[in-house]
Amino acid sequence: MRIFRSIAATILLGTLAGCGGEPAAPSSAPGAAPTPATLGKPRIALIMKSLANEFFAQMAKGAEAYQKEHADQFDLIVNGIKDERDIARQVALMDEMVGQKVSAIVIAPADSKALVSACRQAQEAGIVVVNIDNKLDDGVLAEQGIKVPFVGPDNRAGAKLVGDYLAGKLKPGDPVGIVEGLRTAFNGQQRLLGFQDAAKAANLKVVDSQSAQWEIAPANRVASAMLSEHPEIKALMCANDSMALGAFAAVKAAGRGGQVLIVGYDGITAVRSAIEAGDILATVDQHADQLAVFGLQFALDQVAKKETPADRTTPVDLVTKK
């Protein structure tokens, strides 16, 4: 009950306030040379999605801790956006970092297509760009004639991993719903495919699949509607943990606690607690605290060697009750 009250409060707060990005370092003085990082240590900018999402807050903390350990090697600027859908602000942050002539930008793009132009402009300004978490669209990258290395998990494999675990608790033919992330985000698309792969392999029946745009409150509304329209639903597969929390609140409000299984993706603290309490079945840990670090390491390597490394797949692990 304590977890449910906490989640309900989070949903209410999420509808009232968002978390803005941290301020960037002061802009370069007028007349400065156009080449980035001509003097001193390289400056790396980390641009993430919503810092109101614990996953990205953990990512920021991991990056900041790594920079402190290597303070003699580089400086770090951390930025995030208000919510997962604030694409325009993320583009603006890219422009700001280009204006500050940083050495490299490590970006977790809110949209797989809309951020490609901003990445191209950064590269044209001589700035190294590394893509983490949500992969930029290969087709748009090809159209714009650029290559951006991707450092991140196999989201389809991760979603199938937790989907398979869920399927082991159900019977063939059982009806399930999917709460999707942003449909324009590559990781959202891949997690949907992974859930569908797991459902198909176990012969589960997907009776509804809707986007809640990665957010708690929309997921609460989507899950409530699914449960009302399809009262036979046995489980909800949620493409991130924020949406899993929203879905759990909907299940509880519908009086279906313990009857509808829920899985998420990200491994945030609130969901780990809910798993131990038996309220959520499982999630996927994609190691947020290390994901940005991998990106920073790639960026520093590129700055030093002036060559683009190959993509790197990072680990994912299933999280269940201990």
Side-chain angles (χ1 to χ4, degrees):
M1 183 62 69
R2 184 180 303 168
I3 291 172
F4 175 61
R5 285 197 297 269
S6 175
I7 292 169
T10 302
I11 292 170
L12 176 60
L13 290 172
T15 63
L16 297 175
C19 179
E22 297 180 21
S27 300
S28 300
T35 304
T38 53
L39 296 173
K41 295 177 292 184
R43 286 186 301 153
I44 313 297
L46 173 62
I47 300 178
M48 296 171 293
K49 292 188 278 185
S50 173
L51 291 175
N53 184 330
E54 184 191 323
F55 178 80
F56 294 104
Q58 290 177 349
M59 185 183 288
K61 289 179 181 178
E64 289 164 348
Y66 181 78
Q67 190 276 331
K68 287 180 180 178
E69 294 172 359
H70 301 83
D72 60 325
Q73 298 178 23
F74 72 103
D75 292 324
L76 178 67
I77 303 170
V78 175
N79 280 296
I81 54 179
K82 180 178 180 180
D83 63 50
E84 304 281 358
R85 299 159 291 181
D86 197 358
I87 297 168
R89 178 57 184 152
Q90 202 174 44
V91 171
L93 285 171
M94 289 286 292
D95 291 341
E96 289 175 19
M97 294 303 100
V98 171
Q100 290 194 33
K101 300 179 177 64
V102 297
S103 307
I105 297 173
V106 178
I107 181 168
D111 185 282
S112 296
K113 296 182 178 181
L115 270 295
V116 174
S117 292
C119 291
R120 176 179 55 79
Q121 291 167 7
Q123 287 186 342
E124 289 174 349
I127 296 171
V128 166
V129 180
V130 175
N131 173 201
I132 62 171
D133 179 55
N134 178 35
K135 193 176 188 302
L136 293 166
D137 186 88
D138 287 333
V140 180
L141 287 169
E143 287 173 9
Q144 302 214 17
I146 64 171
K147 293 182 179 180
V148 179
F150 174 69
V151 180
D154 184 331
N155 284 276
R156 186 168 185 169
K160 187 175 186 300
L161 181 68
V162 74
D164 287 343
Y165 183 76
L166 171 68
K169 308 295 182 180
L170 300 172
K171 298 177 182 178
D174 276 349
V176 300
I178 298 176
V179 183
E180 306 172 36
L182 275 175
R183 288 176 173 171
T184 56
F186 182 79
N187 58 349
Q189 297 164 2
Q190 291 295 297
R191 291 177 196 179
L192 172 60
L193 289 171
F195 288 151
Q196 291 172 337
D197 291 343
K200 183 177 180 180
N203 196 28
L204 302 177
K205 183 180 179 182
V206 178
V207 296
D208 206 345
S209 185
Q210 298 181 41
S211 171
Q213 301 181 324
W214 301 126
E215 302 286 345
I216 294 177
N220 182 254
R221 294 191 293 270
V222 165
S224 294
M226 284 187 184
L227 294 170
S228 177
E229 187 173 350
H230 304 281
E232 73 280 11
I233 279 179
K234 299 290 187 183
L236 293 169
M237 296 188 281
C238 304
N240 80 349
D241 280 348
S242 292
M243 296 189 299
L245 294 174
F248 167 63
V251 168
K252 200 77 171 178
R256 304 276 312 273
Q259 301 173 28
V260 178
L261 300 177
I262 299 169
V263 296
Y265 196 114
D266 275 344
I268 67 174
T269 303
V271 166
R272 289 175 182 267
S273 297
I275 289 171
E276 291 305 311
D279 296 317
I280 291 177
L281 180 65
T283 187
V284 174
D285 184 3
Q286 52 178 344
H287 307 286
D289 59 335
Q290 290 299 305
L291 190 50
V293 171
F294 294 143
L296 293 174
Q297 291 169 341
F298 259 48
L300 289 166
D301 191 54
Q302 277 190 259
V303 168
K305 296 181 180 179
K306 307 299 181 184
E307 54 186 39
T308 303
D311 293 353
R312 176 175 179 179
T313 301
T314 57
V316 293
D317 294 295
L318 182 67
V319 178
T320 62
K321 188 172 183 178
K322 296 176 183 177

